[in-house]
Amino acid sequence: MTDIAIVDYGMGNLRSVSKALEHVAPHASIVVTGDPEVVRKADRVVVPGQGAMPDCLRELDARGLREVVRDAAINKPFLGICIGLQMLFESSEEGNVKGLGIVSGKVLRFPSTAMVSAEGQKLKVPHMGWNQVHRAIDHPLWKDIPNDARFYFVHSYYVETASPESAAAYSFYPFAFTCAVAKNNIFAVQFHPEKSHEAGLTLLRNFVQWEPASRLDNQPRT
Amino acid sequence: MGLAKRIIPCLDVTNGRVVKGVNFIELRDAGDPVEISRRYDEQGADELTFLDITASSDNRDLILHIIEEVASQVFIPLTVGGGVRQVEDVRRLLNAGADKVSINTSAVQNPQLVADATGRYGSQCIVVAIDAKRVSGTDDFPQWEVFTHGGRKATGLDVVEWAKRMQLLGAGEILLTSMDKDGTRNGFDLALTRAVSDAVDVPVIASGGVGNLHHLADGILQGHADAVLAASIFHYGEYSIRQAKAYMAQHGIEVRL
């Protein structure tokens, strides 16, 4: 039995995610897997992802993982990281692709015209480095993490949610954008908790212990 | 408040040890890479950069073991460079636990490598390192040339144009080292840093020449760098990362404290 499955669909480096989870949950069975059956049987699922969203979705399909990732997102503790957040949305400007459509809203590129700081300095894209995460709601995954703690980001696209109540936190670059989403059994973040030192490790530890109060598919847990 | 400017200690590694050269001549032993990484992590380093300067190919795998060990103990971004020649080298470093791989000489010899590596693994994990040397121009219009092979070989390429081309090929970040300033402890080449940082949209890390904390602040405020990299001022305990950040914060720079 697998406690935590980290979904491997060939996009990017999953080593950091598994190392960080092993660090916070040394007794859990944690696997990096591209096998749909293993993902299906896992208690908890983590979907990381780097690179371009169209490539990520294509690889997800090529490996027969789309359905099982969708199922996990509606019926078990689910943590999306970076592209793992973006793919939950309806569509992305990146390659004009459709996402999984589990969270309403879309994925947009940081518009070059807006990338100027309050001091008039050019802001670089990708948004890379440590930014503050301002909490929008209380959530078990924020436990023991100070509000406005800094997390490590690296991305050129951001999510714009059509249901503001799903936003769990936002950051400024230079405008406010949603950097974490919470919906029933789903928690998904734009930043990289596996690379965000104490704050990131705390969030991962909270995820490992999280028992969501409700599931998106509204079925009782078996 | 928003994105913090980053301080990145750089560890030159050879034969499993961190060393620091003085003007590329004498290598001084600065300690065990895993131990030093942990110390910088505790002090609040924003990322760590490892440069594998191992000359012989026999000991190339040593860096993989070091990165594996660091990655299981230190949870901040790790960049590794040195001797990256093909996509397979990128893969091996990422699998060992690196988050970003920096490409220098091979980017010049084979620019397609940058496109292939970013196509395969994403722009976010490919850093192009540029060694720059001032070649001509008046003080009003200075010019810099790209050098490779640890600064031994001139390429005829203009640094600003090269940085723009690397961004087009997908580089997610530029690590810019001034060869004129490296090892001098006289501060960054601010004109160089500003010229490149203003010309590209991706983040630029300033490197080469840091001798005191004010140099770090200058790199951000005058050089327009997004991150500053330094080695010797941290290795021998002259300054801690924490002191460097406190100093930058006093000068109005947003940092992660």
Side-chain angles (χ1 to χ4, degrees):
Chain A
M1 189 68 189
T2 303
D3 299 325
I4 306 168
I6 301 165
V7 182
D8 180 7
Y9 50 101
M11 289 305 291
N13 180 21
L14 309 180
R15 182 93 186 193
S16 297
V17 179
S18 64
K19 289 241 186 194
L21 280 167
E22 283 161 19
H23 188 81
V24 299
H27 304 298
S29 143
I30 298 163
V31 292
V32 174
T33 180
D35 181 346
E37 272 317 298
V38 176
V39 177
R40 200 182 304 280
K41 288 179 182 151
D43 288 343
R44 289 161 201 276
V45 169
V46 179
V47 179
Q50 293 177 333
M53 185 158 139
D55 296 343
C56 286
L57 290 167
R58 195 190 56 230
E59 291 300 318
L60 209 58
D61 284 335
R63 290 152 206 254
L65 285 161
R66 182 187 283 251
E67 197 186 332
V68 77
V69 164
R70 227 195 104 81
D71 286 351
I74 63 174
N75 67 24
K76 57 181 80 166
F78 179 99
L79 179 65
I81 299 172
C82 198
I83 303 287
L85 159 76
Q86 297 182 1
M87 69 167 61
L88 297 174
F89 283 71
E90 291 163 307
S91 66
S92 175
E93 256 185 16
E94 190 173 20
N96 269 320
V97 291
K98 280 201 189 313
L100 301 178
I102 295 166
V103 180
S104 57
K106 55 196 171 185
V107 184
L108 303 169
R109 188 176 163 88
F110 283 112
S112 52
T113 48
M115 303 318 288
V116 181
S117 73
E119 294 78 34
Q121 279 233 1
K122 173 162 80 170
L123 295 174
K124 305 299 184 68
V125 177
H127 170 228
M128 185 188 285
W130 299 78
N131 205 337
Q132 288 182 301
V133 169
H134 308 266
R135 212 162 287 176
I137 56 162
D138 227 4
H139 194 280
L141 264 70
W142 294 139
K143 184 174 167 275
D144 298 332
I145 299 171
N147 193 15
D148 293 343
R150 287 185 186 275
F151 287 81
Y152 188 81
F153 287 80
V154 51
H155 62 121
S156 300
Y157 291 79
Y158 65 96
V159 300
E160 190 180 79
T161 168
S163 46
E165 70 281 2
S166 67
Y170 56 96
S171 295
F172 286 96
Y173 196 65
F175 50 86
F177 68 91
T178 299
C179 66
V181 157
K183 191 173 179 179
N184 304 85
N185 55 294
I186 296 174
F187 199 85
V189 294
Q190 182 60 68
F191 49 82
H192 290 267
E194 75 279 11
K195 284 286 138 183
S196 296
H197 207 248
E198 283 305 320
L201 294 176
T202 304
L203 189 144
L204 292 175
R205 196 176 291 118
N206 291 341
F207 172 71
V208 171
Q209 294 165 359
W210 183 35
E211 294 301 338
S214 64
R215 293 168 18 171
L216 206 49
D217 67 356
N218 231 359
Q219 300 299 307
R221 293 199 66 175
T222 50
Chain B
M1 295 296 269
L3 185 64
K5 299 294 182 182
R6 292 169 279 156
I7 295 185
I8 308 175
C10 177
L11 289 69
D12 288 350
V13 179
T14 186
N15 297 317
R17 298 288 290 178
V18 176
V19 293
K20 186 56 199 169
V22 181
N23 292 335
F24 288 100
I25 303 166
E26 191 190 344
L27 290 177
R28 273 169 76 186
D29 187 279
D32 172 59
V34 179
E35 209 172 287
I36 292 176
S37 299
R38 290 177 59 160
R39 190 167 76 224
Y40 289 153
D41 174 56
E42 281 161 20
Q43 291 177 3
D46 295 311
E47 298 185 20
L48 296 173
T49 288
F50 299 82
L51 195 56
D52 182 9
I53 58 168
T54 303
S56 82
S57 53
D58 317 348
N59 289 329
R60 280 265 169 229
D61 283 352
L62 268 178
I63 193 78
L64 297 176
H65 299 309
I66 291 166
I67 297 304
E68 267 179 30
E69 205 173 332
V70 173
S72 61
Q73 299 177 36
V74 168
F75 300 98
I76 57 175
L78 309 175
T79 301
V80 188
V84 176
R85 292 187 183 82
Q86 45 196 350
V87 175
E88 172 61 17
D89 296 331
V90 175
R91 191 189 66 83
R92 294 199 318 154
L93 288 167
L94 293 178
N95 279 347
D99 299 286
K100 311 183 207 178
V101 171
S102 92
I103 306 178
N104 187 337
T105 297
S106 298
V108 174
Q109 292 175 331
N110 173 24
Q112 187 59 33
L113 171 64
V114 175
D116 291 346
T118 57
R120 181 72 191 83
Y121 296 106
S123 289
Q124 82 291 332
C125 67
I126 302 300
V127 181
V128 168
I130 302 175
D131 290 340
K133 195 176 167 72
R134 172 91 183 252
V135 282
S136 66
T138 61
D139 280 353
D140 287 343
F141 300 101
Q143 285 185 305
W144 298 268
E145 184 178 345
V146 178
F147 277 67
T148 58
H149 298 84
R152 294 190 301 278
K153 209 169 156 191
T155 64
L157 295 163
D158 176 73
V159 167
V160 173
E161 291 309 313
W162 179 244
K164 285 156 83 172
R165 187 167 165 216
M166 289 298 98
Q167 173 184 320
L168 273 178
L169 287 184
E173 195 170 34
I174 303 286
L175 168 55
L176 180 65
T177 302
S178 162
M179 292 170 54
D180 303 305
K181 292 290 192 166
D182 203 30
T184 64
R185 302 174 65 87
N186 286 333
F188 294 120
D189 183 337
L190 297 172
L192 165 73
T193 308
R194 192 165 53 239
V196 173
S197 191
D198 288 353
V200 297
D201 294 324
V202 297
V204 170
I205 306 166
S207 155
V210 175
N212 60 48
L213 300 183
H214 198 71
H215 293 151
L216 296 174
D218 277 344
I220 303 286
L221 297 173
Q222 294 188 45
H224 299 173
D226 301 282
V228 286
L229 181 133
S232 56
I233 66 159
F234 298 130
H235 290 342
Y236 303 110
E238 231 174 301
Y239 300 103
S240 69
I241 309 278
R242 216 178 292 285
Q243 283 174 302
K245 288 192 163 182
Y247 186 90
M248 284 167 74
Q250 278 164 23
H251 287 75
I253 299 170
E254 190 165 350
V255 290
R256 166 183 160 251
L257 290 169

